[in-house]
Amino acid sequence: MSEIPERQEVVELAKRRGYLYPSFEIYGGVSGFWDYGPLGTSLKNAIVGSWRDMYVVRHGYEEIETTTIGKEDVYEASGHADGFSDALASCPECGTFFRADHLVEDHTDIENADGMPKERLAEILADEGVPCPSCGATLDNARVEEFNLMFETNIGPGTARKGYLRPETAQGIFVDFQRLKRYYRESLPFGVTQVGRAYRNEINPRQGIVRLREFQQAELEYFKRPDDEIDVSPVEDVEVRLYPVEEQEDDDGEPFVTTVGEAVEDGVIESETIAYFVGRSQEWYESIGIDPDRLRFRQHLPDERAHYASDCWDGETLTTFGWIEVNGIADRADYDLRKHAEYSGEEMGVWQEYDEAVVREETVADPDMSVLGPEFGGAAGGIADALREKARDEPEAFEGDEVSVTVDGEAYTVSTDAAGFERREVRETGENVLPQVIEPSYGLDRIVYSVIEHSYDEDVIDDEERTVLRVPPKVAPFDAAVFPLVSKDGLEEHAREIEEKLRQAGMRVKYDGSGAIGRRYRRHDEIGTPLAVTVDYDTKEDGTVTLRDRDTTDQWRVEKDEIIEEIESVVEGDG
RNA sequence: GCACCGGUGGUCUAGUGGUAUGACAAGGGCCUUCCAAGCCCUUAACACGGGUUCGAAUCCCGUCCGGUGCACCA
């Protein structure tokens, strides 16, 4: 695999050749926003296409598209309105920002100050005489302000209805869950995917494209019964590098390579379903050009888990920014559906029939109020309630002719007939179950960047250094380049003809007739075009063209009519 | 957000107060029978705003962007 490149060179190439552009650069730009140029868009689309092929096509996890602006209620229920914001204290002396809740936790016995109102946090900071960790000044006049990572907006005129730009695509799937469960005819498990943009108003994003304020996610929400697990056997032999909590907490702990099957067997990954998606992710990353030596799956430490996650494994790639998170496979349990059920009052459970109906005996009382009313007057209502309770809890009390209950310290005796006591059989055929959610969620921008870095290579051809982007053909921005050997003697027309033929066959091709042939090969090496088709004088004679391979620079001749097949075999066969 | 350093054509770069150097790239032409060859021509920059000065890429202030450290990062 290729050497680790200089970040400068990669970023420079990405900008110069049309992969990535800083957004609104002519107005000075704003950090955290990047545009995709033509090649970047093509690469990203190819990566998304391959992701869809994996989940939507091969697994049947159908895709939906939901709005990027969400009503306030959605994010109150999801916990983002509270949990996604931090109270920041700024030192009046040096201006440095700190998490106010962390300062409070460090200097008092309070164990969880997250979620305390900012006024209270400021009070505690002042009362405890907490010093600024940076300059030592006392923080008794520190301003404590809520900083929510969600972008806010207003829906409609005025300020009555608040909306948020979604901080993750997931909630769109959860709030549509009732309709989705009907679509899937109420049968678990099923998966729903979504690809789209999400927004986080990061405090101070740096690291170029690695931390964005507007970014793209591809997410799968896999809904299952608590006991359902996906069988890992299709990926049991996939080798993965794992970095579990235990190894991270051990000073000598290191990530280790194992197979998905062994990881489940050894209990390293507790959830078989999570392990399955780790395996699928590993396969997918390798197929789009992530270097397996620079890929690992790291388990979240307990204190870094999101408010909704009970366990989480992050796919991480090693880049010049260090190890960066490119996806998370989180066990969200029933957190989201439970919260939306609670806040909306809607039923979010899925009816699950038991394998066999459960029959049990139930004891009930249906007191005859026309008897109790005249006999006990105002106390009748309370007596009836007490009888119902007693029928459920102590059915044996109804075995005689009379039954006694106590209401407000007063004992009453009622004839068993008037109590309307009954034993009956109840058949329970199933129950509403809140599905458990396993969420593999991919950060597309970081993946695109990682693919570029991992593909970037420099080698030497005929004593000349060249830059070559060794991206897998299936995600390369172009399938092939088409060149006339020289721009005269009618070679251009032949080349144009071939270009057109390839386009009509659905191939992404680029024609280039400018400069010497060697220069054009280098240009396309640099942007990762896997094949070049060169029209030369023999083409006029015998109808063959030269194909030239990006990685090896090998050349071979094929008939004009076989170009399409030949390109397809390279692109689909991955070289 | 703080501190320090930096920002000159697409890219890299020279330039310590007098309107910007060079290379590569790009476009046009000539040439060219397979890996950045050559010749001619062309396009193209002082991050933005303000100040000092007769005059600012150069000095000062603010902003933006980048790097590094601190802080933040579900």
Side-chain angles (χ1 to χ4, degrees):
Chain A
M1 258 296 164
S2 45
E3 296 288 300
I4 293 183
E6 290 293 319
R7 186 194 308 165
Q8 283 299 326
E9 288 171 3
V10 177
V11 171
E12 189 264 305
L13 171 88
K15 286 201 276 193
R16 183 164 47 81
R17 297 310 304 269
Y19 276 100
L20 298 168
Y21 301 144
S23 299
F24 13 88
E25 198 177 9
I26 62 166
Y27 291 110
V30 178
S31 67
F33 294 98
W34 283 76
D35 294 340
Y36 285 93
L39 297 184
T41 304
S42 179
L43 174 63
K44 192 201 73 194
N45 286 344
I47 288 173
V48 172
S50 146
W51 190 89
R52 288 192 167 111
D53 184 59
M54 164 175 63
Y55 282 135
V56 183
V57 179
R58 292 176 196 276
H59 286 81
Y61 302 150
E62 289 168 79
E63 182 176 355
I64 68 167
E65 197 167 324
T66 68
T67 57
T68 57
I69 294 179
K71 201 176 177 226
E72 190 179 15
D73 311 46
V74 173
Y75 294 102
E76 282 178 351
S78 71
H80 287 89
D82 289 332
F84 220 63
S85 74
D86 295 323
L88 295 184
S90 58
C91 171
E93 290 298 317
C94 68
T96 310
F97 276 78
F98 301 96
R99 286 278 297 265
D101 54 328
H102 288 181
L103 286 175
V104 165
E105 285 163 15
D106 291 348
H107 288 86
T108 66
D109 295 335
I110 299 168
E111 278 181 10
N112 189 3
D114 194 11
M116 263 190 194
K118 62 184 185 206
E119 294 78 12
R120 179 78 190 118
L121 288 165
E123 232 173 79
I124 297 174
L125 290 178
D127 292 351
E128 298 287 326
V130 174
C132 167
S134 176
C135 68
T138 165
L139 291 175
D140 53 8
N141 282 317
R143 284 210 333 261
V144 177
E145 307 228 336
E146 282 289 322
F147 184 82
N148 194 299
L149 254 34
M150 286 193 293
F151 284 99
E152 261 180 52
T153 188
N154 295 313
I155 301 173
T159 54
R161 262 184 304 177
K162 202 163 131 189
Y164 291 110
L165 271 63
R166 63 183 179 192
E168 59 174 15
T169 51
Q171 296 306 322
I173 295 176
F174 297 133
V175 299
D176 281 351
F177 184 73
Q178 282 189 317
R179 293 210 176 263
L180 288 166
K181 75 177 182 187
R182 275 177 223 126
Y183 175 84
Y184 282 102
R185 298 206 306 274
E186 311 259 348
S187 44
L188 292 173
F190 61 83
V192 180
T193 51
Q194 178 163 215
V195 177
R197 290 181 181 260
Y199 307 82
R200 290 181 193 178
N201 200 3
E202 298 283 354
I203 295 172
N204 182 18
R206 275 197 245 164
Q207 305 180 300
I209 195 155
V210 167
R211 254 175 91 200
L212 296 175
R213 288 180 163 129
E214 173 171 347
F215 57 100
Q216 303 189 50
Q217 288 188 309
E219 283 191 328
L220 160 64
E221 305 300 333
Y222 182 76
F223 297 96
K224 65 183 193 65
R225 285 192 244 197
D227 297 337
D228 284 341
E229 294 293 343
I230 299 183
D231 176 15
V232 292
S233 55
V235 293
E236 64 186 357
D237 294 328
V238 174
E239 286 200 344
V240 288
R241 178 175 286 102
L242 298 182
Y243 198 17
V245 166
E246 199 181 318
E247 315 301 320
Q248 292 172 63
E249 286 176 340
D250 181 346
D251 289 341
D252 301 323
E254 289 286 334
F256 55 87
V257 175
T258 182
T259 64
V260 172
E262 279 167 27
V264 171
E265 229 164 86
D266 301 344
V268 176
I269 302 179
E270 213 175 306
S271 155
E272 199 173 349
T273 304
I274 287 181
Y276 175 80
F277 289 123
V278 166
R280 284 299 183 205
S281 299
Q282 173 80 27
E283 287 180 329
W284 180 66
Y285 282 130
E286 289 187 42
S287 81
I288 60 168
I290 295 295
D291 177 2
D293 292 336
R294 284 180 262 174
L295 173 64
R296 71 180 185 194
F297 292 87
R298 187 179 67 81
Q299 187 177 24
H300 272 199
L301 297 168
D303 63 359
E304 65 179 318
R305 280 180 205 143
H307 59 267
Y308 50 73
S310 55
D311 190 14
C312 185
W313 287 78
D314 280 350
E316 297 184 326
T317 57
L318 181 60
T319 68
T320 55
F321 294 100
W323 285 99
I324 58 170
E325 175 191 346
V326 288
N327 81 309
I329 302 170
D331 181 354
R332 295 179 81 129
D334 63 2
Y335 177 87
D336 300 276
L337 292 177
R338 189 159 39 76
K339 294 293 265 186
H340 285 302
E342 189 185 314
Y343 278 68
S344 68
E346 300 285 332
E347 175 60 59
M348 291 291 181
V350 175
W351 181 255
Q352 293 295 324
E353 297 244 317
Y354 299 136
D355 293 338
E356 214 172 314
V358 175
V359 180
R360 60 182 176 78
E361 187 175 73
E362 195 177 65
T363 49
V364 293
D366 182 14
D368 185 346
M369 296 311 283
S370 65
V371 176
L372 267 55
E375 192 173 345
F376 300 109
I383 294 169
D385 287 342
L387 285 168
R388 289 190 190 100
E389 202 176 310
K390 194 155 197 154
R392 197 175 65 230
D393 300 338
E394 301 171 48
E396 62 282 357
F398 292 84
E399 277 161 15
D401 294 340
E402 291 182 328
V403 58
S404 307
V405 292
T406 307
V407 179
D408 293 335
E410 196 99 7
Y412 300 94
T413 301
V414 182
S415 78
T416 310
D417 284 348
F421 180 77
E422 191 187 355
R423 285 176 190 274
R424 64 185 185 202
E425 272 192 356
V426 179
R427 265 174 70 86
E428 283 180 351
T429 57
E431 65 184 325
N432 271 317
V433 176
L434 274 183
Q436 300 281 309
V437 175
I438 302 291
E439 175 194 78
S441 168
Y442 299 75
L444 291 171
D445 312 278
R446 289 178 173 190
I447 292 171
V448 169
Y449 182 78
S450 300
V451 167
I452 294 174
E453 260 203 15
H454 289 191
S455 303
Y456 184 96
D457 195 18
E458 284 167 356
D459 63 3
V460 175
I461 299 295
D462 295 343
D463 293 333
E464 289 277 357
E465 208 171 83
R466 71 164 181 162
T467 301
V468 53
L469 212 55
R470 301 186 190 277
V471 289
K474 76 168 181 184
V475 296
F478 293 110
D479 296 317
V482 180
F483 307 140
L485 182 61
V486 290
S487 297
K488 61 175 188 185
D489 300 330
L491 296 184
E492 288 167 287
E493 286 71 23
H494 274 86
R496 285 290 187 189
E497 219 174 87
I498 289 173
E499 180 205 3
E500 186 59 19
K501 201 167 114 188
L502 296 180
R503 278 187 197 288
Q504 295 320 315
M507 310 210 132
R508 298 163 304 166
V509 296
K510 186 87 175 169
Y511 175 91
D512 190 350
S514 143
I517 186 74
R519 181 189 299 265
R520 285 176 261 152
Y521 286 145
R522 297 303 162 82
R523 272 187 200 136
H524 278 273
D525 289 341
E526 198 178 49
I527 64 171
T529 308
L531 281 178
V533 178
T534 302
V535 170
D536 53 30
Y537 288 94
D538 290 348
T539 310
K540 287 166 73 174
E541 300 296 318
D542 62 11
T544 61
V545 297
T546 301
L547 288 193
R548 182 263 192 187
D549 179 81
R550 174 195 71 198
D551 294 331
T552 60
T553 76
D554 288 345
Q555 303 192 353
W556 66 101
R557 299 199 70 85
V558 300
E559 297 285 334
K560 262 204 291 197
D561 295 339
E562 290 165 8
I563 301 172
I564 291 172
E565 267 172 60
E566 196 78 10
I567 295 175
E568 276 172 354
S569 80
V570 168
V571 171
E572 278 156 28
D574 267 4

